[in-house]
Amino acid sequence: MSAAFRGQITLDGPSGTGKSTVARGVAARLRAAYLDTGAMYRAATVAVLDAAVDPEDADAVARTVAAARIEVGTGSAAEVVRVDGVDVADRIRGAAVTRAVSAVSAVPAVRRQLVDQQRDLVSAADVVVVEGRDIGTVVLPDATLKVYLTAAPGVRAQRRAGQLGITDPAEIAALADDLRRRDEYDSSRVDSPLRPADDAVVVDSTDLDQQGVIEAIVALAASAVGAGERA
Ligand code: DC
């Protein structure tokens, strides 16, 4: 029975794969806690932009983020994201944050701070789904089940366009360029690059709808029941 799953599920992969919807769906099915680590890097980016700090100035970024109080919720239903007590759940999805977040998340001191916070949040839960880029490789190397979600780049751009209501082919091509640029940046950074963990199950969602991906991961979790007790 999937409800008997105990442990940590990591869900890593590039943007535009439907990772967040899938992670929330899996968490809801397993009655698990859910942590969106991308939301934490986005919240850190809000702090940097509000302090008028250049996102490429690593020292200033590190200082600014160290001084910020970043809070995220661990429920799968409502999104709670605050910086210094202020609700930024909407702002973190805006274009300015999306443009700057790769640079902020490449700063090692920022990663150390947020990874510590992620481990604290996760340790409080018996069953948890954690999504990001480096969860299976760095944050939770002993997780019970590791999934790496991919999809063909063209399909990812189409899905992102659908979410944003964009139909103009030139705008879709620009989205595809932006996805490529962020993948390149996230995969080639020195600290915790985006890559599948050696023991991750790679799930390709190119030809699956989101419900199909959720079912596939719930089935993987069911077959991992008991692994959490052994870990
Ligand atoms: O998943 P997302 O698009 O909300 O992530 C925003 C950015 O944060 C993304 O460009 C990469 C970075 N990120 C990261 O470096 N490590 C994580 N664990 C999660 C996100």
Side-chain angles (χ1 to χ4, degrees), residues 4 42 62 76 80 83 85 90 97 106-107 135-136 144 149 152 157-158 165 179 189 191 200 207 210 225 229:
R42 287 173 179 272
S76 62
V80 175
V83 175
D90 287 337
V97 169
V107 176
I135 311 304
T144 323
L149 193 58
Q158 288 288 351
L179 282 178
R189 70 177 174 225
D191 190 343
D207 298 317
Q210 284 173 336
V225 166
E229 280 74 42

Short mmCIF file of all heavy atoms in Angstrom, two decimals, residues 4 42 62 76 80 83 85 90 97 106-107 135-136 144 149 152 157-158 165 179 189 191 200 207 210 225 229:
data_model
loop_
_atom_site.label_atom_id
_atom_site.label_comp_id
_atom_site.label_asym_id
_atom_site.label_seq_id
_atom_site.Cartn_x
_atom_site.Cartn_y
_atom_site.Cartn_z
N ALA A 4 1.62 3.37 3.14
CA ALA A 4 2.54 2.89 4.16
C ALA A 4 3.97 3.36 3.90
O ALA A 4 4.85 3.07 4.71
CB ALA A 4 2.50 1.36 4.20
N ARG A 42 14.29 31.28 -4.79
CA ARG A 42 13.56 32.43 -5.33
C ARG A 42 13.32 33.48 -4.23
O ARG A 42 13.44 34.68 -4.47
CB ARG A 42 12.23 31.97 -5.94
CG ARG A 42 12.41 31.24 -7.26
CD ARG A 42 11.11 30.64 -7.77
NE ARG A 42 11.31 29.96 -9.03
CZ ARG A 42 11.23 30.54 -10.24
NH1 ARG A 42 10.90 31.82 -10.31
NH2 ARG A 42 11.45 29.87 -11.33
N ALA A 62 25.75 36.94 -0.77
CA ALA A 62 25.89 36.07 0.41
C ALA A 62 25.54 36.82 1.68
O ALA A 62 24.81 36.30 2.54
CB ALA A 62 27.32 35.52 0.48
N SER A 76 1.38 20.47 1.14
CA SER A 76 1.31 20.33 -0.32
C SER A 76 0.18 21.16 -0.91
O SER A 76 0.09 21.32 -2.12
CB SER A 76 1.15 18.86 -0.71
OG SER A 76 -0.05 18.35 -0.19
N VAL A 80 3.29 28.72 1.14
CA VAL A 80 3.66 29.74 2.12
C VAL A 80 5.13 30.09 1.88
O VAL A 80 6.00 29.22 1.97
CB VAL A 80 3.50 29.21 3.56
CG1 VAL A 80 4.00 30.22 4.57
CG2 VAL A 80 2.06 28.81 3.83
N VAL A 83 9.64 36.43 3.25
CA VAL A 83 10.97 36.99 3.48
C VAL A 83 10.82 38.07 4.55
O VAL A 83 10.03 39.01 4.36
CB VAL A 83 11.58 37.59 2.20
CG1 VAL A 83 12.92 38.26 2.52
CG2 VAL A 83 11.75 36.52 1.13
N GLY A 85 9.16 38.02 7.15
CA GLY A 85 7.76 38.12 7.58
C GLY A 85 6.78 38.57 6.51
O GLY A 85 5.57 38.56 6.73
N ASP A 90 3.60 35.26 -4.46
CA ASP A 90 3.34 35.66 -5.85
C ASP A 90 4.60 36.20 -6.52
O ASP A 90 4.92 35.84 -7.65
CB ASP A 90 2.24 36.74 -5.91
CG ASP A 90 0.88 36.13 -5.61
OD1 ASP A 90 0.73 34.90 -5.81
OD2 ASP A 90 -0.02 36.88 -5.16
N VAL A 97 12.55 37.96 -10.72
CA VAL A 97 13.14 36.92 -9.87
C VAL A 97 13.65 35.77 -10.74
O VAL A 97 14.76 35.26 -10.55
CB VAL A 97 12.10 36.43 -8.83
CG1 VAL A 97 12.60 35.18 -8.12
CG2 VAL A 97 11.79 37.54 -7.84
N ALA A 106 23.79 30.14 -7.49
CA ALA A 106 25.13 29.63 -7.76
C ALA A 106 26.13 30.04 -6.69
O ALA A 106 27.28 29.59 -6.70
CB ALA A 106 25.61 30.12 -9.14
N VAL A 107 25.73 30.89 -5.74
CA VAL A 107 26.66 31.38 -4.71
C VAL A 107 26.79 30.31 -3.60
O VAL A 107 25.80 29.98 -2.94
CB VAL A 107 26.16 32.72 -4.12
CG1 VAL A 107 27.06 33.18 -2.97
CG2 VAL A 107 26.08 33.79 -5.21
N ILE A 135 18.80 17.69 -4.73
CA ILE A 135 18.29 17.07 -3.50
C ILE A 135 18.85 15.64 -3.36
O ILE A 135 19.34 15.26 -2.30
CB ILE A 135 16.74 17.08 -3.46
CG1 ILE A 135 16.20 18.49 -3.78
CG2 ILE A 135 16.25 16.61 -2.09
CD1 ILE A 135 16.72 19.58 -2.90
N GLY A 136 18.79 14.87 -4.46
CA GLY A 136 19.30 13.49 -4.40
C GLY A 136 20.83 13.44 -4.35
O GLY A 136 21.41 12.49 -3.81
N THR A 144 15.20 7.74 0.57
CA THR A 144 14.63 6.41 0.32
C THR A 144 14.42 6.18 -1.18
O THR A 144 14.69 5.09 -1.69
CB THR A 144 13.26 6.32 1.03
OG1 THR A 144 13.33 7.00 2.27
CG2 THR A 144 12.85 4.87 1.25
N LEU A 149 13.44 13.87 -13.01
CA LEU A 149 12.39 14.05 -14.02
C LEU A 149 12.93 14.87 -15.20
O LEU A 149 13.46 15.96 -15.01
CB LEU A 149 11.22 14.79 -13.35
CG LEU A 149 9.89 14.83 -14.09
CD1 LEU A 149 9.37 13.43 -14.37
CD2 LEU A 149 8.87 15.60 -13.24
N ALA A 152 11.70 16.33 -23.15
CA ALA A 152 12.36 16.93 -24.32
C ALA A 152 12.24 18.45 -24.24
O ALA A 152 11.19 18.97 -23.84
CB ALA A 152 11.71 16.40 -25.59
N ALA A 157 9.21 23.76 -23.26
CA ALA A 157 8.87 25.14 -23.64
C ALA A 157 7.37 25.26 -23.92
O ALA A 157 6.72 26.24 -23.52
CB ALA A 157 9.69 25.56 -24.86
N GLN A 158 6.80 24.26 -24.60
CA GLN A 158 5.36 24.27 -24.89
C GLN A 158 4.54 24.27 -23.60
O GLN A 158 3.55 24.99 -23.46
CB GLN A 158 4.96 23.03 -25.71
CG GLN A 158 5.43 23.05 -27.15
CD GLN A 158 4.65 24.04 -28.00
OE1 GLN A 158 3.65 24.61 -27.57
NE2 GLN A 158 5.14 24.27 -29.22
N GLY A 165 -0.15 31.07 -20.87
CA GLY A 165 -1.14 31.50 -21.86
C GLY A 165 -0.51 32.11 -23.10
O GLY A 165 -1.11 32.96 -23.75
N LEU A 179 14.84 28.65 -21.22
CA LEU A 179 15.00 27.35 -20.54
C LEU A 179 16.39 26.78 -20.78
O LEU A 179 17.04 26.28 -19.85
CB LEU A 179 13.96 26.34 -21.06
CG LEU A 179 12.53 26.46 -20.54
CD1 LEU A 179 11.64 25.41 -21.20
CD2 LEU A 179 12.49 26.28 -19.03
N ARG A 189 27.32 25.03 -13.22
CA ARG A 189 27.89 25.72 -12.06
C ARG A 189 28.77 24.72 -11.28
O ARG A 189 28.53 23.51 -11.31
CB ARG A 189 26.79 26.32 -11.18
CG ARG A 189 25.98 25.28 -10.46
CD ARG A 189 24.93 25.92 -9.54
NE ARG A 189 24.09 24.87 -9.00
CZ ARG A 189 22.78 24.89 -8.93
NH1 ARG A 189 22.12 25.95 -9.34
NH2 ARG A 189 22.12 23.88 -8.43
N ASP A 191 29.31 24.56 -7.92
CA ASP A 191 28.73 24.04 -6.68
C ASP A 191 27.39 23.37 -6.97
O ASP A 191 26.45 24.01 -7.44
CB ASP A 191 28.55 25.22 -5.70
CG ASP A 191 28.17 24.73 -4.31
OD1 ASP A 191 27.74 23.58 -4.15
OD2 ASP A 191 28.32 25.54 -3.37
N ALA A 200 19.47 7.47 -8.83
CA ALA A 200 18.14 8.02 -9.13
C ALA A 200 17.46 7.20 -10.24
O ALA A 200 18.13 6.66 -11.13
CB ALA A 200 18.26 9.48 -9.58
N ASP A 207 6.24 11.93 -23.02
CA ASP A 207 5.01 11.33 -23.53
C ASP A 207 4.02 10.96 -22.43
O ASP A 207 3.12 10.15 -22.66
CB ASP A 207 5.34 10.09 -24.37
CG ASP A 207 6.19 10.46 -25.58
OD1 ASP A 207 5.88 11.48 -26.23
OD2 ASP A 207 7.19 9.76 -25.83
N GLN A 210 0.69 14.66 -16.55
CA GLN A 210 1.17 14.78 -15.16
C GLN A 210 0.60 13.69 -14.26
O GLN A 210 1.28 13.18 -13.38
CB GLN A 210 0.87 16.17 -14.63
CG GLN A 210 1.88 17.14 -15.23
CD GLN A 210 1.59 18.58 -14.93
OE1 GLN A 210 0.45 18.95 -14.67
NE2 GLN A 210 2.61 19.40 -15.01
N VAL A 225 8.63 0.60 -0.18
CA VAL A 225 8.16 0.51 1.20
C VAL A 225 9.07 -0.44 1.97
O VAL A 225 9.41 -1.51 1.48
CB VAL A 225 6.70 0.00 1.27
CG1 VAL A 225 6.33 -0.44 2.68
CG2 VAL A 225 5.77 1.10 0.80
N GLU A 229 12.83 2.05 6.59
CA GLU A 229 13.16 1.46 7.89
C GLU A 229 14.59 0.95 7.91
O GLU A 229 15.25 0.93 8.93
CB GLU A 229 12.21 0.30 8.22
CG GLU A 229 10.85 0.74 8.75
CD GLU A 229 9.96 1.31 7.68
OE1 GLU A 229 9.93 0.73 6.59
OE2 GLU A 229 9.32 2.35 7.91
#
